[in-house]
Amino acid sequence: MVLLHGSGLSSAVWRGGGYLKRLADFRTVAVDLRGHGRSSKPPNAGAYSAAAMSEDVVAVLDALRIPAAHVVGYSLGARVGFALAATRPERVLSFVTLAGTFALPPGSADAFFFPGCREALRTGDMTGFLESWSRVRGVVLDPATSHALRQNDPAAFGALLEAIDDDPGLTEAEVAGIMAPTLLVAGDSDDPRWQASRRAHELITGSVFVELPGVDHIGTLRDRRALSATEEFLRR
């Protein structure tokens, strides 16, 4: 099982979210995506396409001599998982997307964080970025998420957000071509990811869609219903 974290986080979130404990009988590979954790942090947006990061996952599988794996992705990790399932289907046994989408409209970084968030990262630091996010959006982060985000390199994180805005993602035809058994989990307070997950469910034959009432983007990863749905799906 390959675990792919969200933007600004690292492989450590899977322990905090209970996934490693609940799924301990799987052989688990928790990856730090490029720009995060212990991986390299290039400052240029061109390094952070979903296609490039999906090939990083293939390289990890190759290095570990794993021909194919169950792929679980949260947020950015889900977007990387979509690219992997669409372009490298032979490497994906099944796919779980948590609060994910196969494409985002331009301006999504500003919509999620705050207008001018990328510029704030170019001139400030992660502490100032988080303070601006909290002030503009009224976001109260839990201590674990706040600590994880503060560990980011501002230039690399800004480049990632630029890449997310510029990357068109997959087309609906490409999504419809995904053959791996797929579970899509999203909170109904997490647009546009909830709508994108529902649409992907309509496109992917035989997929399962689990809606989490009252749950937003950040809350999805720590919601026990998401973990239970993931465990049940993988064991099937």
Side-chain angles (χ1 to χ4, degrees), residues 184 197-205 207:
L184 305 110
S197 295
R198 185 176 63 175
R199 179 57 181 154
H201 167 56
E202 295 170 351
L203 293 168
I204 301 173
T205 302
S207 63

Side-chain angles (χ1 to χ4, degrees), residues 1-2 19-29 70 72 93-94 230-236:
M1 176 175 60
V2 175
Y19 283 77
L20 296 187
K21 183 177 180 180
R22 285 276 290 272
L23 301 169
D25 52 339
F26 283 81
R27 181 187 182 191
T28 302
V29 180
H70 302 280
V72 179
L93 295 175
S94 71
T230 299
E231 180 182 22
E232 179 184 347
F233 176 79
L234 289 175
R235 298 201 185 284
R236 282 207 309 270

Side-chain angles (χ1 to χ4, degrees), residues 6 8 17 23-24 41 52 54 56 59 62 82 88 94 109 126 158 165 178 188-189 196-197 200-201 223 228 231:
L23 301 169
K41 299 173 177 61
S54 70
D56 289 342
D62 286 346
F82 269 113
R88 293 295 197 117
S94 71
M126 289 307 301
D165 271 356
I178 292 175
D188 64 5
S189 296
S197 295
H201 167 56
D223 194 292
S228 295
E231 180 182 22

